[in-house]
Amino acid sequence: MKKSAFILIAWYFLFVSFYISYFIGLEQPSLTNPLFYLIAIPYFGFGAMVWSVFSGVGIFTFLASVVSSVLWLKKDKIVYLFLLPIVGLLSGGIFRYIAT
């Protein structure tokens, strides 16, 4: 149970980091409650990641994330969970470069 909670948190940060890397400098959505950003940012990050599948960047992102999660389950080293946000930052930046 503890490992799956860590994986969910790491995937949350993967989507957040992909959002930050891709949408930085663009107009952000305005929400009525600041707490809604806890849901909106990963939602938009996931949407951009799905959109990036068509350029090939999303396939790399999903594969790297799944491999990192499986390695975390098998080897139990925290470094594999820290790879998820790093992969999100790198792939979001690469996708922004490709998309523009």
Side-chain angles (χ1 to χ4, degrees), residues 10-31:
W11 275 82
Y12 177 85
F13 283 117
L14 169 78
F15 296 140
V16 168
S17 62
F18 194 91
Y19 173 86
I20 289 170
S21 181
Y22 181 71
F23 289 105
I24 194 86
L26 299 176
E27 184 177 342
Q28 304 299 317
S30 61
L31 301 174

Side-chain angles (χ1 to χ4, degrees), residues 10-22 45 49 57 60-62 64-65 82-96:
W11 275 82
Y12 177 85
F13 283 117
L14 169 78
F15 296 140
V16 168
S17 62
F18 194 91
Y19 173 86
I20 289 170
S21 181
Y22 181 71
M49 193 178 300
V57 175
F60 163 76
T61 306
F62 283 122
S65 302
F82 287 123
L83 286 176
L84 285 163
I86 293 169
V87 165
L89 282 172
L90 290 175
S91 59
I94 291 169
F95 181 59
R96 181 178 174 134

Side-chain angles (χ1 to χ4, degrees), residues 32-72:
T32 56
N33 188 347
L35 292 177
F36 290 154
Y37 285 104
L38 291 174
I39 298 169
I41 288 176
Y43 173 74
F44 288 129
F46 177 73
M49 193 178 300
V50 169
W51 183 38
S52 72
V53 167
F54 299 108
S55 69
V57 175
I59 295 170
F60 163 76
T61 306
F62 283 122
L63 287 177
S65 302
V66 168
V67 167
S68 179
S69 298
V70 169
L71 285 173
W72 158 250

